[in-house]
Amino acid sequence: MSETAAERTPTVVKLGGSCLDDLAGDWWDDLARHGQERPLVLVHGWSKPLKQLSPRYSEPSAILRDRYGNQSRWTTPEVIADIKTVSARLGEDVLSRLEERGITAERLLGSDGLVAAGEGERWWWQDKRLVELENLVGPITGVNPAALKNLQPGHAYLVTPLARNAVGQEVNTDADRAAAAIAGATDATDLVLVTDVAHLLIDGEPVRRITAKAAATFRDKGATGGMRKKLRAAGEALDSGVERVVIGSAAVTALLAAHTGTVITRT
């Protein structure tokens, strides 16, 4: 890879919505130092801000389960609007933190030409019955990296992981898997999934390194909730050419240096 190409190859970082409030100033200092050397693409979650916006997002009815057992937030046009509201507030905070540390930054909705989605599941469990519902979610089918026009050291994008489906609807997507797809499309070598746990745990023990195959086995037989989605995203990123995925709660450079967290590689 030429020096110019390397300088345009980003580090992709997914910021968990549940942990954003806990990232202290030195965490952002570290990210900014790394961002002076490599472009940054940050993909944010919104679970905690959405629950803070309205108590209805903490109710069990806000989450649907499909016929295959997969969970999804029940997304209507009103939910899309609320996602945009909390994302705008979150974006102001993140961009100001970066800019005061010398990183120029801009927000980008995934639905504004970056992320494409396919047709979503239509059958969901309600009251112990499978019923047909319109749920504005969809699997990611492609990423157009041309939408990230300014990939260069010293600049960051903050991506809200919405997408646009084939009929032009704006839909919700999983943030971890969106980050994985963006990492693959931009030829990123590293995907960092920043969460509120320090390591992947298997049988209560922290895992420092694991292969994609072993991680997939655990994902299907032992992982639950958010970690299951993160392991699925990690596998998708590695399949798309990303060299390694790191999961943890520490500073980005510490995670990239494998001083902490869990490193997942193809072999």
Side-chain angles (χ1 to χ4, degrees), residues 130-165:
L130 271 177
V131 297
E132 190 173 14
L133 294 172
E134 182 173 36
N135 187 23
L136 294 177
V137 298
I140 296 169
T141 56
V143 170
N144 177 16
L148 302 168
K149 299 174 183 177
N150 194 20
L151 285 178
Q152 61 180 336
H155 189 74
Y157 283 94
L158 179 67
V159 176
T160 296
L162 296 171
R164 190 79 60 180
N165 66 19

Side-chain angles (χ1 to χ4, degrees), residues 179-229:
I182 291 168
T186 56
D187 297 324
T189 56
D190 299 294
L191 169 63
V192 182
L193 302 177
V194 178
T195 185
D196 54 4
V197 296
H199 303 86
L200 168 67
L201 298 175
I202 296 182
D203 297 328
E205 295 296 322
V207 177
R208 297 298 300 273
R209 288 183 175 273
I210 191 170
T211 65
K213 183 177 180 180
T217 298
F218 176 67
R219 176 196 74 208
D220 294 337
K221 294 185 177 179
T224 58
M227 187 55 72
R228 187 176 185 184
K229 284 188 175 183

Side-chain angles (χ1 to χ4, degrees), residues 8-222:
R8 289 183 55 81
T9 302
T11 298
V12 180
V13 181
K14 191 270 179 161
L15 301 173
S18 61
C19 68
L20 265 167
D21 290 344
D22 301 324
L23 299 176
D26 56 355
W27 190 94
W28 294 100
D29 293 341
D30 175 85
L31 181 67
R33 285 192 295 270
H34 182 71
Q36 294 293 355
E37 300 173 0
R38 300 293 286 269
L40 293 173
V41 179
L42 312 177
V43 182
H44 71 83
W46 51 61
S47 54
K48 185 175 178 181
L50 210 53
K51 290 175 182 177
Q52 292 171 335
L53 180 71
S54 170
R56 73 177 183 273
Y57 290 118
S58 297
E59 296 173 358
S61 60
I63 302 298
L64 297 174
R65 187 179 296 275
D66 70 14
R67 50 188 162 170
Y68 307 107
N70 300 309
Q71 290 189 45
S72 168
R73 179 171 299 284
W74 190 357
T75 306
T76 63
E78 291 75 22
V79 174
I80 294 282
D82 283 348
I83 287 171
K84 288 183 174 181
T85 295
V86 299
S87 296
R89 296 174 187 171
L90 183 153
E92 287 181 7
D93 180 47
V94 171
L95 266 58
S96 67
R97 289 175 183 266
L98 292 171
E99 289 169 354
E100 68 188 21
R101 290 168 172 83
I103 301 292
T104 60
E106 59 187 295
R107 281 189 66 221
L108 180 63
L109 296 178
S111 49
D112 285 345
L114 178 64
V115 184
E119 184 176 355
E121 176 64 38
R122 297 194 64 84
W123 292 91
W124 305 89
W125 287 103
Q126 276 196 331
D127 300 324
K128 299 182 180 180
R129 294 185 303 122
L130 271 177
V131 297
E132 190 173 14
L133 294 172
E134 182 173 36
N135 187 23
L136 294 177
V137 298
I140 296 169
T141 56
V143 170
N144 177 16
L148 302 168
K149 299 174 183 177
N150 194 20
L151 285 178
Q152 61 180 336
H155 189 74
Y157 283 94
L158 179 67
V159 176
T160 296
L162 296 171
R164 190 79 60 180
N165 66 19
V167 296
Q169 289 176 306
E170 209 165 16
V171 299
N172 186 0
T173 65
D174 177 67
D176 293 304
R177 298 176 76 180
I182 291 168
T186 56
D187 297 324
T189 56
D190 299 294
L191 169 63
V192 182
L193 302 177
V194 178
T195 185
D196 54 4
V197 296
H199 303 86
L200 168 67
L201 298 175
I202 296 182
D203 297 328
E205 295 296 322
V207 177
R208 297 298 300 273
R209 288 183 175 273
I210 191 170
T211 65
K213 183 177 180 180
T217 298
F218 176 67
R219 176 196 74 208
D220 294 337
K221 294 185 177 179

